[in-house]
Amino acid sequence: MSKIAAIIGGGVIGGGWAARFLLNGWDVRVFDPDPEAERKIGEVLDNARRSLPGLGNVALPDEGRLSFHAELAEAVSGADWIQESVPERLDLKQKVYAELEKYCDADAVIGSSTSGFKPSELQKGRGNGGQIVVAHPFNPVYLLPLAEVVTTAANSQQVIARAKEVISSIGMYPLHLKNEIDAHVADRFLEAVWREALWLVKDGIATTEEIDNAIRYGFGIRWAQMGLFDTYRVAGGEAGMKHFMAQFGPCLTSPWTKLMDVPEFTDELVDLIAGQSDAQSGHMSIREMERIRDDNLVGMMRALGANDWGTGALQNAHDKSLEGEAGLVSSIDDIADLSQPVLTQSRVVPLDWTDYNGHMTESRYLDAFAQSTDRLMAIIGCDAEYIASGGSYFTAETHIRHIDEVHAGHPIQIKTRVIMGAGKKMHLWHEMYEGDRLLATGEHMLLHVDLKTRRSAPPAAHIEANLVKLAAAHAALAAPDGLGRAIGAPR
Ligand SMILES: NC(=O)C1=CN([C@@H]2O[C@H](COP(=O)(O)OP(=O)(O)OC[C@H]3O[C@@H](n4cnc5c(N)ncnc54)[C@H](O)[C@@H]3O)[C@@H](O)[C@H]2O)C=CC1
Ligand SMILES: C[N+](C)(C)CC(=O)CC(=O)[O-]
């Protein structure tokens, strides 16, 4: 199946979709009458290239081709996925759908980024309405994985399944809503919070900065990892959700929120809010703020990945799906040539791996080598299931040589040799490269342990056999330069 996405409307959101598809290996065609569209998408892409490839622990596929088209017909003909991201005006969107109907392929899925319109409003009057679904993303689309997929009875199961499959394949989470409603689910929350915030500023209760602090220092970061209901379940203490509801349910009838209507957007209110926002953050450009936002998102999402939780768990699953294309294996049976060092890592240096010297920081070399050791362990059979049964390896000694520097966003690969594998011992040699350039070596001695006694113990027979097999195959290679080296400072 070809992978061609047509992006109709390449502004903030269309640019984000373009980057998400492109960096996941799709060819992307953009149609946008704005003469500045190419520049703007270029800038969004710069930010996306900086942040997305290093979000996960496995390299993304090769980037697709990006092209700009003056005619809608040219952009959409032959496209598998069409993403409409024109401004939020129903008349304009309906005009675009009438045009799309003429030129798109009959089996293409058409997703709309609309924040508020229902899919039936977009499908209305269209002979090909069954091809149209809402695929509502969140800014920045290239980093945030949620896409609300809203469908109607006009959409076949095949179209719905295809929509979910494509969205998942580019590392996103399709939240399928079968019942359409204005603004879907997530934007209902955003509007409620936004409305409260507008009143609080208008009535002089809090400034824009105080409101942002109330969110980012408190419930915002909490929501990011556990959402609303799980957070409140925990807040109910040992008695959980029922206790929480008994304690705080009555407040709802007060209610704490008094300001249910929307404040009028008078010039005075717009100036008040824009003025406070300028005072708060006017010293930074929007692009600068985007990069700060992206650095923070990547750091937080990668932290969740270490816990295999929330967006991090989703990214870990996406990484798994990319392993084959990246040349990574999880079993000795899948190694094509046993005589060569094993590829144990193919990734991009993430944003949060760099330091004040502007390059990958020393502790991350060990992090990368440790991940390669984990993969080698899995390859010989010491995988999660084996570890859960009570056996594993502990590292007893490590020697890392930092040979050349590498920067965030650059691709690295690690190749691993088994120097010795017998009984309880596993002696590994990792080499880290960017292309042909050797960046670092890692030499590690590990001991097999019984996780109950926490003492060294022989591994299961199949693990030792696999280790011996790899060690024997690698023994035919010339000894690596630097093997067994100590720092060797004169005394
Ligand atoms: N900005 C946001 O935070 C989010 C916006 N959305 C939705 O995404 C859609 C687009 O919003 P933004 O990207 O923010 O707007 P935007 O104003 O940044 O971009 C819209 C783009 O569409 C282009 N355009 C206008 N008429 C067109 C036409 N007939 N054919 C092709 N392109 C055309 C414009 O030149 C512009 O580049 C809206 O439906 C919005 O509700 C969804 C999620 C978040
Ligand atoms: C403000 N907004 C309604 C356009 C926001 C969205 O639709 C989603 C987002 O990215 O917050």
Side-chain angles (χ1 to χ4, degrees), residues 8-14 31-34 37 40 72 84-89 92-93 96 112-116 136-139 187:
I8 311 305
V12 173
I13 293 303
F31 172 74
D32 189 319
D34 179 0
K40 289 183 189 164
L72 180 85
E84 170 274 305
S85 305
V86 304
E88 187 74 355
R89 277 180 24 222
L92 176 62
K93 288 194 188 275
V96 168
S112 172
S113 299
T114 180
S115 298
H136 175 235
F138 290 77
N139 190 36
D187 277 355

Side-chain angles (χ1 to χ4, degrees), residues 152-219:
T152 70
N155 300 118
S156 66
Q157 288 309 313
Q158 202 186 352
V159 164
I160 296 170
R162 175 78 181 134
K164 286 160 68 173
E165 180 197 326
V166 168
I167 286 171
S168 302
S169 77
I170 55 172
M172 297 179 83
Y173 176 73
L175 180 66
H176 184 200
L177 307 174
K178 295 165 204 83
N179 299 309
E180 58 173 9
I181 181 173
D182 290 334
H184 332 308
V185 168
D187 277 355
R188 305 279 290 236
F189 295 121
L190 293 183
E191 185 182 293
V193 174
W194 172 228
R195 190 183 54 223
E196 291 305 319
L198 291 175
W199 279 120
L200 291 170
V201 178
K202 181 178 160 57
D203 292 350
I205 309 288
T207 63
T208 57
E209 186 164 9
E210 286 164 343
I211 289 169
D212 283 351
N213 288 344
I215 295 172
R216 62 190 156 200
Y217 296 152
F219 64 86

Side-chain angles (χ1 to χ4, degrees), residues 331-367:
S331 159
I332 193 166
D333 300 330
D334 296 328
I335 297 178
D337 182 357
L338 277 181
S339 71
Q340 292 305 307
V342 185
L343 181 70
T344 49
Q345 204 156 156
S346 177
R347 64 170 315 130
V348 161
V349 177
L351 283 173
D352 63 339
W353 278 21
T354 54
D355 61 17
Y356 46 82
N357 290 326
H359 58 195
M360 185 160 125
T361 200
E362 59 186 342
S363 61
R364 297 304 185 172
Y365 286 82
L366 181 55
D367 197 341

Side-chain angles (χ1 to χ4, degrees), residues 154-347:
N155 300 118
S156 66
Q157 288 309 313
Q158 202 186 352
V159 164
I160 296 170
R162 175 78 181 134
K164 286 160 68 173
E165 180 197 326
V166 168
I167 286 171
S168 302
S169 77
I170 55 172
M172 297 179 83
Y173 176 73
L175 180 66
H176 184 200
L177 307 174
K178 295 165 204 83
N179 299 309
E180 58 173 9
I181 181 173
D182 290 334
H184 332 308
V185 168
D187 277 355
R188 305 279 290 236
F189 295 121
L190 293 183
E191 185 182 293
V193 174
W194 172 228
R195 190 183 54 223
E196 291 305 319
L198 291 175
W199 279 120
L200 291 170
V201 178
K202 181 178 160 57
D203 292 350
I205 309 288
T207 63
T208 57
E209 186 164 9
E210 286 164 343
I211 289 169
D212 283 351
N213 288 344
I215 295 172
R216 62 190 156 200
Y217 296 152
F219 64 86
I221 193 160
R222 196 175 59 189
W223 276 353
Q225 50 80 47
M226 224 174 232
L228 180 65
F229 285 104
D230 268 358
T231 294
Y232 281 173
R233 182 184 177 81
V234 175
E238 286 177 14
M241 197 53 152
K242 281 201 168 157
H243 176 62
F244 182 85
M245 292 177 80
Q247 183 165 212
F248 297 107
C251 310
L252 287 172
T253 56
S254 290
W256 282 347
T257 304
K258 308 258 181 326
L259 308 160
M260 303 305 288
D261 52 345
V262 179
E264 197 187 335
F265 265 42
T266 58
D267 289 350
E268 196 188 354
L269 179 61
V270 171
D271 287 348
L272 178 68
I273 294 201
Q276 287 189 6
S277 174
D278 286 349
Q280 182 185 341
S281 300
H283 57 285
M284 291 176 281
S285 73
I286 296 297
R287 294 285 176 233
E288 258 177 282
M289 289 183 76
E290 282 175 350
R291 283 191 284 276
I292 293 167
R293 174 202 64 192
D294 291 356
D295 288 358
N296 293 336
L297 286 175
V298 168
M300 290 192 283
M301 289 162 81
R302 286 185 54 73
L304 289 170
N307 246 358
D308 204 27
W309 185 262
T311 55
L314 191 73
Q315 182 62 43
N316 291 345
H318 188 49
D319 282 355
K320 194 92 204 129
S321 75
L322 296 169
E323 286 182 356
E325 203 168 336
L328 296 164
V329 298
S330 303
S331 159
I332 193 166
D333 300 330
D334 296 328
I335 297 178
D337 182 357
L338 277 181
S339 71
Q340 292 305 307
V342 185
L343 181 70
T344 49
Q345 204 156 156
S346 177
R347 64 170 315 130

